[in-house]
Amino acid sequence: MQFRARTALAATLVLGLTGAATAPALAHAPAAQHATENPAPDGKPNSKALREAIKGLPNADATAALVRVGGPDGTWRGSSGVHDLVTGRKADPHGRFRAGSITKIVTAAVALQLAAEGELDLDKPVQHYMPDLFPKQKQKQGPGQKPKFKPIPVRSLLNYTSGLRSGDGFDDEYAHRYDTLDYRKVVASAISKGPEHAPGDEQHYRNIGYTVLGMLIEKVTGDTYAHQAAQRVFKPLRMRDTYFPGADPRIHGPHNRGYQSMKQPDGSTRLVDVTEWNQSDRFAAGDMISSTTDLEVFTQALFGGEVVPRAQLKEMFTMPELAPGVPDAVFGAGLQRMELDDDTVVWLKTGSRYGYSNMIASTENGSRSLAYSVNATDAKGTGMNPVAERIALAALSQG
């Protein structure tokens, strides 16, 4: 994979990223580094590159990494780093973590199943299903009045073209990490701002569309979103590590601790344990807890047509046509498209919460799949974590 692919990969993946105790400074952390692997035959995947990608942890960028590469091309399993910086014991390769925005692909799968069953029409507006969600507006707009919402097709929630603005959250998220923010209030604040653009005109990656989509799933099924996801996806695929914690700030079951680099009042930088965090406001856009084992199973089943019927699965691989002069779309229904320099097309979704940076990816035919979780010290940073980038390059390169 040459420079063009490396640059494209980093730029592409950044699009998806948009009382805890203070841990010891990394410089004083145990100098532990552990790795296990399951090499593939014929040099595929690139075992050497993957080993290099995760070696030397913990370091300034990450404390642990869990990687699973699979498919007919071969498999590779690797882990490195530490479970925590206090004991220094090796990372649990089966550890659970906050999957972040990978949740959106589960939400998209549930919505597309409902579309296949005739319970949800992707062409009908959200207002048809949830008329009370949007305030009544006068037909004639006066000076200073916010633009009126046009009908928002359900499909535009899936492909990030709804025109909904981001909702308001906590100003200092860390200070409120144990507090519960109702996702309905987040949606209400977003709608109160009025539309940013007409549905379908522009594509902006945001959580809000998938939060509304989760509410829509509840509306049409008369059930909770979490139960629908469990019954339709997790249980059939035996994803035993995957669940929605709601307002519970803990990660239940085996997991590696997550840390975030934070500046202290004296100007120094310390790694703060951010493992416990109430993420309930992320709801259907990012509240899921999972493991690389489960995410690999889900990814391979999804691309194999076992989760969503093929007719509806095409929605994930279909780029919306946007307004003239607007940058081209890069997302289908949840999944992001990336073309490597050898013309290989990869479909992926990143997901990050403080302490955890993750990704699932696959070629459309399933010949190569990737699921990783990196305990990144800058998981919500503006750039791509260096360890995560090395893993993606090593795993997705066909060389």
Side-chain angles (χ1 to χ4, degrees):
M1 186 177 297
Q2 303 302 316
F3 178 77
R4 184 170 71 84
R6 179 182 297 273
T7 304
L9 179 68
T12 298
L13 300 185
V14 166
L15 286 172
L17 305 176
T18 359
T22 300
L26 190 60
H28 303 295
Q33 193 274 322
H34 313 268
T36 59
E37 64 172 284
N38 202 3
D42 304 322
K44 289 186 177 182
N46 191 330
S47 298
K48 180 180 179 181
L50 286 162
R51 286 196 303 271
E52 289 293 316
I54 65 173
K55 80 174 184 178
L57 302 185
N59 63 18
D61 300 313
T63 58
L66 315 177
V67 184
R68 296 178 72 89
V69 182
D73 279 355
T75 62
W76 191 89
R77 309 284 182 260
S79 65
S80 69
V82 296
H83 167 272
D84 65 273
L85 293 176
V86 177
T87 68
R89 73 178 190 266
K90 73 176 184 178
D92 187 337
H94 305 292
R96 297 173 180 179
F97 48 83
R98 301 191 189 281
S101 287
I102 294 175
T103 307
K104 293 180 175 69
I105 308 305
V106 172
T107 306
V110 173
L112 292 172
Q113 285 184 9
L114 290 169
E117 295 163 10
E119 297 296 322
L120 198 58
D121 188 333
L122 302 185
D123 295 316
K124 280 189 176 179
V126 179
Q127 292 92 328
H128 168 80
Y129 294 100
M130 297 189 293
D132 295 338
L133 192 63
F134 295 84
K136 299 285 192 249
Q137 292 179 298
K138 296 179 181 179
Q139 292 298 320
K140 293 183 179 180
Q141 291 180 209
Q145 185 178 340
K146 291 186 179 70
K148 183 180 179 181
F149 277 101
K150 295 181 178 179
I152 301 173
V154 173
R155 181 179 282 104
S156 69
L157 297 177
L158 285 160
N159 61 28
Y160 310 101
T161 63
S162 68
L164 291 169
R165 300 176 187 270
S166 295
D168 296 325
F170 294 124
D171 290 334
D172 185 346
E173 292 186 344
Y174 178 72
H176 291 277
R177 63 194 179 280
Y178 290 109
D179 297 340
T180 298
L181 175 61
D182 192 333
Y183 59 85
R184 298 173 188 85
K185 291 185 177 180
V186 176
V187 171
S189 71
I191 291 174
S192 70
K193 299 175 183 179
E196 182 178 18
H197 57 78
D201 280 2
E202 302 175 25
Q203 186 175 72
H204 297 286
Y205 179 81
R206 289 179 182 140
N207 285 331
I208 192 66
Y210 275 78
T211 305
V212 174
L213 198 58
M215 295 171 67
L216 180 56
I217 288 168
E218 294 189 334
K219 181 71 174 181
V220 300
T221 63
D223 192 11
T224 65
Y225 162 75
H227 187 252
Q228 283 292 304
Q231 293 298 116
R232 291 173 172 272
V233 180
F234 306 157
K235 287 186 178 179
L237 296 180
R238 298 182 181 178
M239 296 169 63
R240 297 184 177 91
D241 295 323
T242 308
Y243 70 100
F244 291 94
D248 189 342
R250 298 165 296 175
I251 299 176
H252 291 276
H255 61 278
N256 301 309
R257 307 297 295 184
Y259 298 90
Q260 174 67 33
S261 178
M262 291 187 180
K263 286 197 173 179
Q264 302 301 298
D266 63 1
S268 64
T269 299
R270 304 284 287 181
L271 289 181
V272 177
D273 190 326
V274 291
T275 308
E276 293 189 1
W277 202 304
N278 181 344
Q279 304 282 342
S280 57
D281 61 302
R282 296 304 189 254
F283 187 46
D287 188 32
M288 187 171 75
I289 286 172
S290 192
S291 67
T292 53
T293 302
D294 276 7
L295 291 183
E296 180 180 55
V297 168
F298 172 67
T299 303
Q300 293 179 347
L302 179 70
F303 283 78
E306 299 174 31
V307 180
V308 176
R310 291 285 184 183
Q312 284 69 37
L313 185 60
K314 290 179 181 178
E315 293 282 344
M316 290 192 171
F317 308 129
T318 302
M319 297 292 109
E321 292 186 11
L322 308 177
V326 174
D328 291 341
V330 295
F331 286 95
L335 289 173
Q336 186 174 355
R337 185 182 190 275
M338 183 180 69
E339 185 173 342
L340 305 181
D341 53 275
D342 61 358
D343 296 327
T344 300
V345 173
V346 175
W347 295 88
L348 59 93
K349 186 69 193 76
T350 56
S352 297
R353 295 312 304 152
Y354 290 104
Y356 305 91
S357 183
N358 323 292
M359 187 173 83
I360 59 171
S362 179
T363 52
E364 191 168 338
N365 65 4
S367 62
R368 177 76 58 86
S369 70
L370 166 66
Y372 74 65
S373 179
V374 172
N375 289 77
T377 60
D378 63 342
K380 298 303 289 183
T382 56
M384 187 178 183
N385 179 272
V387 178
E389 183 178 0
R390 290 198 300 269
I391 292 169
L393 285 166
L396 299 177
S397 170
Q398 298 299 302

